[in-house]
Short mmCIF file of all heavy atoms in Angstrom, two decimals:
data_model
loop_
_atom_site.label_atom_id
_atom_site.label_comp_id
_atom_site.label_asym_id
_atom_site.label_seq_id
_atom_site.Cartn_x
_atom_site.Cartn_y
_atom_site.Cartn_z
N MET A 1 -27.48 1.12 -71.07
CA MET A 1 -28.91 1.14 -71.12
C MET A 1 -29.49 0.52 -69.84
O MET A 1 -30.34 1.12 -69.23
CB MET A 1 -29.37 0.36 -72.36
CG MET A 1 -30.86 0.27 -72.46
SD MET A 1 -31.50 1.71 -73.26
CE MET A 1 -32.56 0.98 -74.41
N ILE A 2 -28.96 -0.60 -69.45
CA ILE A 2 -29.46 -1.25 -68.21
C ILE A 2 -29.12 -0.40 -67.00
O ILE A 2 -29.94 -0.22 -66.10
CB ILE A 2 -28.86 -2.66 -68.07
CG1 ILE A 2 -29.39 -3.55 -69.18
CG2 ILE A 2 -29.19 -3.24 -66.72
CD1 ILE A 2 -28.71 -4.89 -69.23
N ASP A 3 -27.91 0.18 -66.96
CA ASP A 3 -27.49 1.02 -65.84
C ASP A 3 -28.40 2.23 -65.73
O ASP A 3 -28.77 2.64 -64.61
CB ASP A 3 -26.04 1.44 -65.99
CG ASP A 3 -25.09 0.27 -65.83
OD1 ASP A 3 -25.47 -0.74 -65.24
OD2 ASP A 3 -23.95 0.39 -66.30
N GLY A 4 -28.74 2.85 -66.84
CA GLY A 4 -29.63 4.02 -66.84
C GLY A 4 -31.01 3.67 -66.31
O GLY A 4 -31.58 4.40 -65.49
N THR A 5 -31.55 2.58 -66.77
CA THR A 5 -32.87 2.15 -66.31
C THR A 5 -32.86 1.83 -64.82
O THR A 5 -33.75 2.23 -64.07
CB THR A 5 -33.31 0.89 -67.10
OG1 THR A 5 -33.26 1.17 -68.49
CG2 THR A 5 -34.71 0.46 -66.70
N ARG A 6 -31.81 1.17 -64.38
CA ARG A 6 -31.69 0.82 -62.96
C ARG A 6 -31.53 2.08 -62.12
O ARG A 6 -32.08 2.19 -61.02
CB ARG A 6 -30.50 -0.11 -62.75
CG ARG A 6 -30.42 -0.67 -61.36
CD ARG A 6 -29.27 -1.65 -61.20
NE ARG A 6 -29.43 -2.77 -62.16
CZ ARG A 6 -28.41 -3.31 -62.83
NH1 ARG A 6 -27.18 -2.89 -62.64
NH2 ARG A 6 -28.62 -4.29 -63.67
N ALA A 7 -30.80 3.07 -62.63
CA ALA A 7 -30.59 4.32 -61.87
C ALA A 7 -31.90 5.09 -61.76
O ALA A 7 -32.21 5.65 -60.69
CB ALA A 7 -29.54 5.15 -62.57
N ILE A 8 -32.70 5.11 -62.80
CA ILE A 8 -33.98 5.82 -62.74
C ILE A 8 -34.92 5.12 -61.78
O ILE A 8 -35.62 5.77 -60.97
CB ILE A 8 -34.62 5.91 -64.15
CG1 ILE A 8 -33.78 6.85 -65.01
CG2 ILE A 8 -36.04 6.39 -64.06
CD1 ILE A 8 -34.14 6.85 -66.47
N ALA A 9 -34.96 3.80 -61.83
CA ALA A 9 -35.88 3.05 -60.96
C ALA A 9 -35.51 3.17 -59.46
O ALA A 9 -36.39 3.27 -58.62
CB ALA A 9 -35.89 1.59 -61.37
N SER A 10 -34.22 3.18 -59.15
CA SER A 10 -33.80 3.20 -57.76
C SER A 10 -33.56 4.61 -57.23
O SER A 10 -33.48 4.80 -56.02
CB SER A 10 -32.56 2.36 -57.56
OG SER A 10 -31.44 2.99 -58.19
N GLY A 11 -33.41 5.55 -58.12
CA GLY A 11 -33.14 6.92 -57.70
C GLY A 11 -31.68 7.14 -57.31
O GLY A 11 -31.34 8.16 -56.70
N ALA A 12 -30.81 6.21 -57.63
CA ALA A 12 -29.38 6.31 -57.34
C ALA A 12 -28.58 5.82 -58.53
O ALA A 12 -29.05 4.99 -59.31
CB ALA A 12 -29.03 5.50 -56.11
N VAL A 13 -27.39 6.35 -58.69
CA VAL A 13 -26.55 5.94 -59.79
C VAL A 13 -26.06 4.50 -59.55
O VAL A 13 -25.60 4.18 -58.46
CB VAL A 13 -25.32 6.88 -59.95
CG1 VAL A 13 -24.42 6.43 -61.08
CG2 VAL A 13 -25.81 8.30 -60.21
N ALA A 14 -26.17 3.68 -60.60
CA ALA A 14 -25.73 2.28 -60.47
C ALA A 14 -24.90 1.92 -61.70
O ALA A 14 -25.25 2.29 -62.82
CB ALA A 14 -26.94 1.37 -60.38
N PHE A 15 -23.82 1.21 -61.46
CA PHE A 15 -22.95 0.76 -62.54
C PHE A 15 -22.86 -0.75 -62.52
O PHE A 15 -22.82 -1.35 -61.45
CB PHE A 15 -21.55 1.35 -62.40
CG PHE A 15 -21.50 2.82 -62.60
CD1 PHE A 15 -21.29 3.68 -61.53
CD2 PHE A 15 -21.66 3.38 -63.84
CE1 PHE A 15 -21.23 5.05 -61.69
CE2 PHE A 15 -21.61 4.76 -64.04
CZ PHE A 15 -21.41 5.58 -62.95
N THR A 16 -22.77 -1.35 -63.71
CA THR A 16 -22.60 -2.79 -63.82
C THR A 16 -21.13 -3.08 -64.09
O THR A 16 -20.49 -2.45 -64.95
CB THR A 16 -23.44 -3.33 -65.00
OG1 THR A 16 -24.81 -2.96 -64.80
CG2 THR A 16 -23.33 -4.83 -65.13
N ALA A 17 -20.59 -4.04 -63.36
CA ALA A 17 -19.20 -4.45 -63.57
C ALA A 17 -19.02 -5.07 -64.94
O ALA A 17 -19.93 -5.70 -65.48
CB ALA A 17 -18.78 -5.41 -62.47
N THR A 18 -17.85 -4.91 -65.49
CA THR A 18 -17.55 -5.45 -66.81
C THR A 18 -17.73 -6.98 -66.82
O THR A 18 -18.24 -7.54 -67.78
CB THR A 18 -16.14 -5.08 -67.24
OG1 THR A 18 -16.01 -3.66 -67.21
CG2 THR A 18 -15.79 -5.61 -68.62
N GLU A 19 -17.33 -7.62 -65.73
CA GLU A 19 -17.46 -9.08 -65.66
C GLU A 19 -18.93 -9.50 -65.77
O GLU A 19 -19.24 -10.47 -66.49
CB GLU A 19 -16.88 -9.58 -64.34
CG GLU A 19 -16.95 -11.09 -64.21
CD GLU A 19 -16.29 -11.59 -62.94
OE1 GLU A 19 -15.99 -10.77 -62.06
OE2 GLU A 19 -16.07 -12.80 -62.85
N THR A 20 -19.83 -8.81 -65.12
CA THR A 20 -21.24 -9.12 -65.18
C THR A 20 -21.81 -8.95 -66.58
O THR A 20 -22.55 -9.80 -67.09
CB THR A 20 -22.02 -8.24 -64.18
OG1 THR A 20 -21.45 -8.38 -62.90
CG2 THR A 20 -23.48 -8.63 -64.13
N SER A 21 -21.44 -7.83 -67.22
CA SER A 21 -21.89 -7.57 -68.58
C SER A 21 -21.36 -8.61 -69.55
O SER A 21 -22.07 -9.11 -70.44
CB SER A 21 -21.47 -6.19 -69.04
OG SER A 21 -22.02 -5.21 -68.22
N TRP A 22 -20.07 -8.93 -69.41
CA TRP A 22 -19.42 -9.89 -70.31
C TRP A 22 -20.03 -11.27 -70.10
O TRP A 22 -20.26 -12.01 -71.07
CB TRP A 22 -17.94 -9.91 -70.06
CG TRP A 22 -17.10 -10.54 -71.15
CD1 TRP A 22 -17.52 -11.44 -72.08
CD2 TRP A 22 -15.73 -10.33 -71.39
NE1 TRP A 22 -16.45 -11.80 -72.89
CE2 TRP A 22 -15.34 -11.14 -72.47
CE3 TRP A 22 -14.76 -9.56 -70.77
CZ2 TRP A 22 -14.05 -11.18 -72.96
CZ3 TRP A 22 -13.47 -9.61 -71.27
CH2 TRP A 22 -13.12 -10.39 -72.35
N ALA A 23 -20.27 -11.65 -68.85
CA ALA A 23 -20.83 -12.97 -68.58
C ALA A 23 -22.25 -13.09 -69.17
O ALA A 23 -22.65 -14.18 -69.62
CB ALA A 23 -20.85 -13.23 -67.08
N ALA A 24 -22.99 -12.02 -69.16
CA ALA A 24 -24.34 -12.05 -69.75
C ALA A 24 -24.29 -12.14 -71.27
O ALA A 24 -25.13 -12.78 -71.88
CB ALA A 24 -25.12 -10.80 -69.33
N ALA A 25 -23.31 -11.51 -71.89
CA ALA A 25 -23.22 -11.48 -73.35
C ALA A 25 -22.55 -12.75 -73.91
O ALA A 25 -23.02 -13.29 -74.91
CB ALA A 25 -22.43 -10.25 -73.79
N SER A 26 -21.45 -13.19 -73.30
CA SER A 26 -20.70 -14.31 -73.86
C SER A 26 -19.89 -15.00 -72.76
O SER A 26 -18.69 -14.74 -72.60
CB SER A 26 -19.78 -13.82 -74.97
OG SER A 26 -19.06 -14.90 -75.51
N PRO A 27 -20.51 -15.90 -72.00
CA PRO A 27 -19.79 -16.55 -70.92
C PRO A 27 -18.63 -17.42 -71.37
O PRO A 27 -17.64 -17.58 -70.62
CB PRO A 27 -20.86 -17.38 -70.21
CG PRO A 27 -22.01 -17.45 -71.14
CD PRO A 27 -21.90 -16.30 -72.08
N GLU A 28 -18.68 -17.95 -72.59
CA GLU A 28 -17.60 -18.80 -73.08
C GLU A 28 -16.31 -18.00 -73.27
O GLU A 28 -15.22 -18.47 -72.91
CB GLU A 28 -17.99 -19.46 -74.40
CG GLU A 28 -19.20 -20.37 -74.34
CD GLU A 28 -20.49 -19.60 -74.48
OE1 GLU A 28 -20.49 -18.45 -74.99
OE2 GLU A 28 -21.53 -20.13 -74.05
N THR A 29 -16.42 -16.80 -73.84
CA THR A 29 -15.21 -16.02 -74.05
C THR A 29 -14.66 -15.47 -72.74
O THR A 29 -13.45 -15.31 -72.61
CB THR A 29 -15.48 -14.86 -75.04
OG1 THR A 29 -16.53 -14.03 -74.52
CG2 THR A 29 -15.84 -15.38 -76.41
N LEU A 30 -15.52 -15.19 -71.78
CA LEU A 30 -15.04 -14.77 -70.46
C LEU A 30 -14.27 -15.88 -69.79
O LEU A 30 -13.18 -15.65 -69.23
CB LEU A 30 -16.21 -14.32 -69.56
CG LEU A 30 -15.85 -13.87 -68.16
CD1 LEU A 30 -14.92 -12.68 -68.18
CD2 LEU A 30 -17.11 -13.59 -67.37
N ALA A 31 -14.77 -17.10 -69.88
CA ALA A 31 -14.06 -18.25 -69.31
C ALA A 31 -12.74 -18.46 -70.03
O ALA A 31 -11.70 -18.78 -69.40
CB ALA A 31 -14.92 -19.49 -69.40
N SER A 32 -12.72 -18.26 -71.34
CA SER A 32 -11.48 -18.41 -72.12
C SER A 32 -10.46 -17.34 -71.71
O SER A 32 -9.26 -17.64 -71.58
CB SER A 32 -11.81 -18.27 -73.60
OG SER A 32 -10.64 -18.28 -74.37
N LEU A 33 -10.89 -16.11 -71.48
CA LEU A 33 -9.99 -15.06 -71.03
C LEU A 33 -9.40 -15.40 -69.70
O LEU A 33 -8.19 -15.27 -69.48
CB LEU A 33 -10.73 -13.71 -70.94
CG LEU A 33 -9.92 -12.59 -70.31
CD1 LEU A 33 -8.85 -12.10 -71.25
CD2 LEU A 33 -10.85 -11.47 -69.90
N ARG A 34 -10.22 -15.84 -68.76
CA ARG A 34 -9.75 -16.17 -67.42
C ARG A 34 -8.73 -17.33 -67.49
O ARG A 34 -7.75 -17.34 -66.78
CB ARG A 34 -10.91 -16.57 -66.52
CG ARG A 34 -11.75 -15.39 -66.12
CD ARG A 34 -12.53 -15.75 -64.89
NE ARG A 34 -13.24 -14.62 -64.35
CZ ARG A 34 -12.70 -13.67 -63.60
NH1 ARG A 34 -11.44 -13.71 -63.30
NH2 ARG A 34 -13.43 -12.68 -63.16
N GLN A 35 -8.97 -18.30 -68.35
CA GLN A 35 -8.07 -19.45 -68.48
C GLN A 35 -6.75 -19.03 -69.12
O GLN A 35 -5.69 -19.52 -68.71
CB GLN A 35 -8.73 -20.54 -69.29
CG GLN A 35 -7.95 -21.81 -69.35
CD GLN A 35 -8.69 -22.88 -70.16
OE1 GLN A 35 -9.45 -22.59 -71.08
NE2 GLN A 35 -8.49 -24.13 -69.79
N SER A 36 -6.80 -18.14 -70.08
CA SER A 36 -5.57 -17.77 -70.79
C SER A 36 -4.78 -16.65 -70.06
O SER A 36 -3.66 -16.36 -70.45
CB SER A 36 -5.89 -17.33 -72.21
OG SER A 36 -6.69 -16.16 -72.20
N ALA A 37 -5.37 -16.03 -69.04
CA ALA A 37 -4.68 -14.94 -68.35
C ALA A 37 -3.40 -15.40 -67.66
O ALA A 37 -2.40 -14.69 -67.67
CB ALA A 37 -5.61 -14.28 -67.33
N GLY A 38 -3.41 -16.57 -67.07
CA GLY A 38 -2.21 -17.11 -66.42
C GLY A 38 -1.68 -16.21 -65.33
O GLY A 38 -2.33 -15.94 -64.34
N MET A 39 -0.43 -15.72 -65.51
CA MET A 39 0.22 -14.91 -64.48
C MET A 39 -0.38 -13.50 -64.40
O MET A 39 -0.20 -12.81 -63.41
CB MET A 39 1.73 -14.77 -64.81
CG MET A 39 2.46 -16.09 -64.75
SD MET A 39 2.50 -16.78 -63.09
CE MET A 39 3.57 -15.59 -62.31
N ALA A 40 -1.10 -13.06 -65.41
CA ALA A 40 -1.67 -11.73 -65.42
C ALA A 40 -3.11 -11.72 -64.87
O ALA A 40 -3.92 -10.91 -65.27
CB ALA A 40 -1.67 -11.17 -66.84
N GLN A 41 -3.41 -12.60 -63.97
CA GLN A 41 -4.76 -12.74 -63.45
C GLN A 41 -5.19 -11.50 -62.64
O GLN A 41 -6.32 -11.07 -62.74
CB GLN A 41 -4.88 -13.99 -62.57
CG GLN A 41 -6.32 -14.35 -62.20
CD GLN A 41 -7.16 -14.68 -63.40
OE1 GLN A 41 -6.71 -15.39 -64.32
NE2 GLN A 41 -8.35 -14.19 -63.43
N ALA A 42 -4.30 -10.91 -61.87
CA ALA A 42 -4.65 -9.76 -61.05
C ALA A 42 -5.08 -8.54 -61.89
O ALA A 42 -6.12 -7.94 -61.58
CB ALA A 42 -3.50 -9.38 -60.12
N PRO A 43 -4.35 -8.16 -62.95
CA PRO A 43 -4.83 -7.05 -63.76
C PRO A 43 -6.15 -7.34 -64.47
O PRO A 43 -6.98 -6.47 -64.62
CB PRO A 43 -3.70 -6.82 -64.79
CG PRO A 43 -2.50 -7.48 -64.20
CD PRO A 43 -3.00 -8.58 -63.34
N VAL A 44 -6.31 -8.58 -64.90
CA VAL A 44 -7.56 -8.95 -65.56
C VAL A 44 -8.73 -8.84 -64.58
O VAL A 44 -9.77 -8.30 -64.93
CB VAL A 44 -7.47 -10.39 -66.15
CG1 VAL A 44 -8.82 -10.89 -66.62
CG2 VAL A 44 -6.45 -10.42 -67.30
N ASP A 45 -8.54 -9.31 -63.36
CA ASP A 45 -9.58 -9.19 -62.36
C ASP A 45 -9.90 -7.72 -62.05
O ASP A 45 -11.08 -7.38 -61.87
CB ASP A 45 -9.18 -9.90 -61.06
CG ASP A 45 -9.21 -11.43 -61.18
OD1 ASP A 45 -9.91 -11.92 -62.10
OD2 ASP A 45 -8.58 -12.09 -60.36
N TRP A 46 -8.88 -6.88 -62.01
CA TRP A 46 -9.09 -5.46 -61.75
C TRP A 46 -9.91 -4.82 -62.86
O TRP A 46 -10.86 -4.07 -62.61
CB TRP A 46 -7.77 -4.74 -61.59
CG TRP A 46 -7.93 -3.31 -61.23
CD1 TRP A 46 -8.14 -2.80 -59.97
CD2 TRP A 46 -7.92 -2.20 -62.13
NE1 TRP A 46 -8.25 -1.44 -60.04
CE2 TRP A 46 -8.12 -1.03 -61.35
CE3 TRP A 46 -7.74 -2.06 -63.51
CZ2 TRP A 46 -8.18 0.23 -61.90
CZ3 TRP A 46 -7.79 -0.80 -64.04
CH2 TRP A 46 -8.00 0.33 -63.25
N ILE A 47 -9.57 -5.13 -64.11
CA ILE A 47 -10.29 -4.55 -65.24
C ILE A 47 -11.75 -5.06 -65.26
O ILE A 47 -12.68 -4.28 -65.51
CB ILE A 47 -9.60 -4.89 -66.58
CG1 ILE A 47 -8.28 -4.13 -66.67
CG2 ILE A 47 -10.47 -4.57 -67.78
CD1 ILE A 47 -7.37 -4.56 -67.82
N LEU A 48 -11.95 -6.34 -64.97
CA LEU A 48 -13.29 -6.89 -64.97
C LEU A 48 -14.15 -6.33 -63.83
O LEU A 48 -15.39 -6.41 -63.89
CB LEU A 48 -13.24 -8.42 -64.90
CG LEU A 48 -12.69 -9.12 -66.12
CD1 LEU A 48 -12.58 -10.62 -65.88
CD2 LEU A 48 -13.56 -8.83 -67.35
N ALA A 49 -13.54 -5.79 -62.81
CA ALA A 49 -14.31 -5.21 -61.69
C ALA A 49 -14.73 -3.77 -61.96
O ALA A 49 -15.58 -3.23 -61.24
CB ALA A 49 -13.48 -5.29 -60.41
N GLN A 50 -14.19 -3.14 -63.01
CA GLN A 50 -14.51 -1.75 -63.31
C GLN A 50 -15.87 -1.66 -64.03
O GLN A 50 -16.32 -2.62 -64.64
CB GLN A 50 -13.42 -1.14 -64.20
CG GLN A 50 -12.04 -1.18 -63.59
CD GLN A 50 -11.98 -0.63 -62.19
OE1 GLN A 50 -12.47 0.47 -61.94
NE2 GLN A 50 -11.42 -1.37 -61.28
N PRO A 51 -16.51 -0.49 -63.97
CA PRO A 51 -17.79 -0.32 -64.69
C PRO A 51 -17.61 -0.50 -66.19
O PRO A 51 -16.60 -0.07 -66.77
CB PRO A 51 -18.17 1.13 -64.37
CG PRO A 51 -17.42 1.49 -63.16
CD PRO A 51 -16.15 0.69 -63.19
N THR A 52 -18.58 -1.11 -66.79
CA THR A 52 -18.52 -1.40 -68.24
C THR A 52 -18.35 -0.14 -69.05
O THR A 52 -17.60 -0.10 -70.00
CB THR A 52 -19.76 -2.15 -68.67
OG1 THR A 52 -19.92 -3.32 -67.87
CG2 THR A 52 -19.72 -2.57 -70.12
N CYS A 53 -19.06 0.93 -68.67
CA CYS A 53 -19.00 2.17 -69.45
C CYS A 53 -17.59 2.74 -69.44
O CYS A 53 -17.10 3.27 -70.45
CB CYS A 53 -20.00 3.19 -68.93
SG CYS A 53 -19.78 3.64 -67.22
N ALA A 54 -16.88 2.62 -68.32
CA ALA A 54 -15.50 3.14 -68.22
C ALA A 54 -14.55 2.32 -69.10
O ALA A 54 -13.70 2.89 -69.78
CB ALA A 54 -15.04 3.15 -66.78
N VAL A 55 -14.70 1.03 -69.03
CA VAL A 55 -13.81 0.16 -69.82
C VAL A 55 -14.01 0.39 -71.32
O VAL A 55 -13.05 0.52 -72.09
CB VAL A 55 -14.03 -1.33 -69.47
CG1 VAL A 55 -13.25 -2.24 -70.40
CG2 VAL A 55 -13.64 -1.60 -68.01
N LEU A 56 -15.27 0.48 -71.74
CA LEU A 56 -15.56 0.71 -73.16
C LEU A 56 -15.12 2.11 -73.60
O LEU A 56 -14.66 2.29 -74.74
CB LEU A 56 -17.04 0.50 -73.45
CG LEU A 56 -17.53 -0.94 -73.30
CD1 LEU A 56 -19.03 -1.02 -73.56
CD2 LEU A 56 -16.78 -1.87 -74.23
N ALA A 57 -15.20 3.09 -72.71
CA ALA A 57 -14.74 4.44 -73.05
C ALA A 57 -13.21 4.45 -73.26
O ALA A 57 -12.72 5.06 -74.22
CB ALA A 57 -15.10 5.42 -71.93
N VAL A 58 -12.48 3.75 -72.42
CA VAL A 58 -11.02 3.68 -72.58
C VAL A 58 -10.65 2.96 -73.88
O VAL A 58 -9.78 3.42 -74.63
CB VAL A 58 -10.37 2.99 -71.37
CG1 VAL A 58 -8.91 2.65 -71.62
CG2 VAL A 58 -10.50 3.85 -70.13
N ILE A 59 -11.33 1.88 -74.16
CA ILE A 59 -11.07 1.15 -75.42
C ILE A 59 -11.39 2.06 -76.62
O ILE A 59 -10.62 2.09 -77.59
CB ILE A 59 -11.90 -0.15 -75.48
CG1 ILE A 59 -11.37 -1.13 -74.44
CG2 ILE A 59 -11.85 -0.77 -76.87
CD1 ILE A 59 -12.24 -2.35 -74.25
N GLY A 60 -12.46 2.80 -76.56
CA GLY A 60 -12.83 3.71 -77.65
C GLY A 60 -11.79 4.81 -77.87
O GLY A 60 -11.43 5.12 -78.99
N VAL A 61 -11.27 5.39 -76.77
CA VAL A 61 -10.25 6.42 -76.88
C VAL A 61 -8.98 5.85 -77.49
O VAL A 61 -8.33 6.49 -78.34
CB VAL A 61 -9.96 7.06 -75.50
CG1 VAL A 61 -8.71 7.91 -75.54
CG2 VAL A 61 -11.16 7.89 -75.06
N VAL A 62 -8.61 4.64 -77.10
CA VAL A 62 -7.40 4.00 -77.67
C VAL A 62 -7.57 3.81 -79.17
O VAL A 62 -6.67 4.11 -79.96
CB VAL A 62 -7.12 2.65 -76.96
CG1 VAL A 62 -6.08 1.85 -77.72
CG2 VAL A 62 -6.67 2.89 -75.53
N PHE A 63 -8.74 3.32 -79.60
CA PHE A 63 -8.99 3.16 -81.05
C PHE A 63 -8.99 4.48 -81.76
O PHE A 63 -8.50 4.58 -82.91
CB PHE A 63 -10.31 2.41 -81.29
CG PHE A 63 -10.23 0.94 -81.11
CD1 PHE A 63 -11.26 0.24 -80.50
CD2 PHE A 63 -9.12 0.21 -81.54
CE1 PHE A 63 -11.21 -1.14 -80.33
CE2 PHE A 63 -9.03 -1.15 -81.38
CZ PHE A 63 -10.08 -1.83 -80.78
N MET A 64 -9.53 5.53 -81.15
CA MET A 64 -9.50 6.85 -81.77
C MET A 64 -8.08 7.35 -81.97
O MET A 64 -7.74 7.91 -83.00
CB MET A 64 -10.30 7.86 -80.96
CG MET A 64 -11.79 7.67 -81.08
SD MET A 64 -12.77 8.71 -79.97
CE MET A 64 -12.05 10.29 -80.17
N LEU A 65 -7.23 7.14 -80.96
CA LEU A 65 -5.84 7.57 -81.05
C LEU A 65 -5.07 6.75 -82.10
O LEU A 65 -4.22 7.32 -82.80
CB LEU A 65 -5.15 7.46 -79.70
CG LEU A 65 -5.63 8.46 -78.64
CD1 LEU A 65 -5.00 8.16 -77.30
CD2 LEU A 65 -5.35 9.88 -79.08
N ILE A 66 -5.35 5.48 -82.18
CA ILE A 66 -4.69 4.65 -83.19
C ILE A 66 -5.08 5.05 -84.59
O ILE A 66 -4.27 5.09 -85.50
CB ILE A 66 -5.00 3.15 -82.93
CG1 ILE A 66 -4.32 2.66 -81.68
CG2 ILE A 66 -4.59 2.31 -84.15
CD1 ILE A 66 -4.74 1.27 -81.26
N GLY A 67 -6.36 5.37 -84.79
CA GLY A 67 -6.88 5.64 -86.12
C GLY A 67 -6.78 7.07 -86.60
O GLY A 67 -7.10 7.37 -87.75
N ARG A 68 -6.33 7.99 -85.76
CA ARG A 68 -6.34 9.39 -86.19
C ARG A 68 -5.21 9.65 -87.16
O ARG A 68 -4.15 9.00 -87.15
CB ARG A 68 -6.23 10.32 -85.01
CG ARG A 68 -4.89 10.40 -84.37
CD ARG A 68 -4.88 11.34 -83.20
NE ARG A 68 -3.56 11.33 -82.62
CZ ARG A 68 -2.89 12.41 -82.29
NH1 ARG A 68 -3.44 13.58 -82.46
NH2 ARG A 68 -1.68 12.31 -81.79
N ARG A 69 -5.45 10.63 -88.01
CA ARG A 69 -4.43 11.02 -88.97
C ARG A 69 -3.48 11.98 -88.33
O ARG A 69 -3.86 12.83 -87.51
CB ARG A 69 -5.09 11.69 -90.17
CG ARG A 69 -5.92 10.73 -90.98
CD ARG A 69 -6.45 11.41 -92.18
NE ARG A 69 -7.28 10.46 -92.92
CZ ARG A 69 -8.14 10.80 -93.83
NH1 ARG A 69 -8.31 12.07 -94.13
NH2 ARG A 69 -8.86 9.89 -94.44
N ARG A 70 -2.23 11.87 -88.68
CA ARG A 70 -1.24 12.79 -88.14
C ARG A 70 -1.44 14.16 -88.76
O ARG A 70 -1.75 14.28 -89.95
CB ARG A 70 0.17 12.29 -88.44
CG ARG A 70 0.48 11.03 -87.69
CD ARG A 70 1.92 10.62 -87.95
NE ARG A 70 2.19 9.40 -87.25
CZ ARG A 70 3.01 9.31 -86.22
NH1 ARG A 70 3.66 10.37 -85.83
NH2 ARG A 70 3.23 8.15 -85.63
N ARG A 71 -1.23 15.18 -87.94
CA ARG A 71 -1.38 16.53 -88.41
C ARG A 71 -0.21 16.88 -89.31
O ARG A 71 0.94 16.60 -89.00
CB ARG A 71 -1.38 17.47 -87.20
CG ARG A 71 -1.76 18.87 -87.56
CD ARG A 71 -1.65 19.78 -86.38
NE ARG A 71 -2.78 19.55 -85.46
CZ ARG A 71 -2.88 20.18 -84.32
NH1 ARG A 71 -1.95 21.04 -83.94
NH2 ARG A 71 -3.93 19.95 -83.54
N ARG A 72 -0.51 17.47 -90.47
CA ARG A 72 0.53 17.85 -91.40
C ARG A 72 1.20 19.11 -90.89
O ARG A 72 0.54 20.11 -90.63
CB ARG A 72 -0.03 18.09 -92.79
CG ARG A 72 0.97 18.40 -93.80
CD ARG A 72 0.37 18.51 -95.17
NE ARG A 72 1.42 18.83 -96.12
CZ ARG A 72 1.20 19.47 -97.22
NH1 ARG A 72 -0.01 19.85 -97.55
NH2 ARG A 72 2.19 19.73 -98.03
N ARG A 73 2.51 19.05 -90.76
CA ARG A 73 3.25 20.20 -90.26
C ARG A 73 3.65 21.09 -91.44
O ARG A 73 4.26 20.64 -92.40
CB ARG A 73 4.49 19.75 -89.50
CG ARG A 73 4.12 18.96 -88.27
CD ARG A 73 5.34 18.57 -87.53
NE ARG A 73 4.97 17.78 -86.37
CZ ARG A 73 5.63 17.82 -85.23
NH1 ARG A 73 6.69 18.57 -85.12
NH2 ARG A 73 5.23 17.09 -84.23
N VAL A 74 3.31 22.32 -91.31
CA VAL A 74 3.63 23.26 -92.37
C VAL A 74 5.02 23.83 -92.11
O VAL A 74 5.37 24.26 -91.02
CB VAL A 74 2.58 24.42 -92.35
CG1 VAL A 74 2.92 25.48 -93.42
CG2 VAL A 74 1.18 23.87 -92.56
N GLY A 75 5.84 23.82 -93.16
CA GLY A 75 7.17 24.39 -93.07
C GLY A 75 8.21 23.46 -92.53
O GLY A 75 9.33 23.87 -92.27
N VAL A 76 7.89 22.19 -92.33
CA VAL A 76 8.84 21.21 -91.81
C VAL A 76 9.05 20.13 -92.85
O VAL A 76 8.10 19.61 -93.42
CB VAL A 76 8.30 20.57 -90.50
CG1 VAL A 76 9.25 19.50 -90.00
CG2 VAL A 76 8.04 21.62 -89.46
N ALA A 77 10.31 19.84 -93.14
CA ALA A 77 10.63 18.81 -94.14
C ALA A 77 10.17 17.43 -93.62
O ALA A 77 10.35 17.14 -92.44
CB ALA A 77 12.11 18.80 -94.43
N PRO A 78 9.63 16.61 -94.51
CA PRO A 78 9.14 15.28 -94.08
C PRO A 78 10.20 14.33 -93.64
O PRO A 78 11.26 14.24 -93.75
CB PRO A 78 8.43 14.72 -95.29
CG PRO A 78 8.74 15.59 -96.43
CD PRO A 78 9.38 16.84 -95.90
#
């Protein structure tokens, strides 16, 4: 929502980094993530630098794949 408003106002596409969105919503949990990352700090920093819409889209696709029902195969023994 904020990215769309900003894009309309400036006339250019603008994306908000995940870190900025997360810090605005819940700075305590962001600090907790950074503290608990330990040796995996580089991947966490990379993910937090990506646009929020992309990160949420990937998480959504993962949940869709986890929750989908397996296709029933016709003519194959279970």
Side-chain angles (χ1 to χ4, degrees):
M1 178 86 132
I2 293 172
D3 292 339
T5 305
R6 189 177 301 140
I8 291 170
S10 69
V13 178
F15 293 108
T16 303
T18 303
E19 181 176 14
T20 306
S21 300
W22 196 338
S26 181
E28 299 84 20
T29 58
L30 179 60
S32 174
L33 172 73
R34 287 200 174 280
Q35 186 178 29
S36 64
M39 296 295 292
Q41 191 63 42
V44 169
D45 287 340
W46 184 83
I47 291 170
L48 291 175
Q50 302 308 310
T52 304
C53 60
V55 172
L56 292 178
V58 169
I59 292 171
V61 167
V62 168
F63 281 140
M64 285 173 47
L65 291 174
I66 290 172
R68 75 180 178 133
R69 293 184 182 162
R70 293 183 181 248
R71 189 185 286 177
R72 183 175 179 207
R73 297 181 181 214
V74 178
V76 177

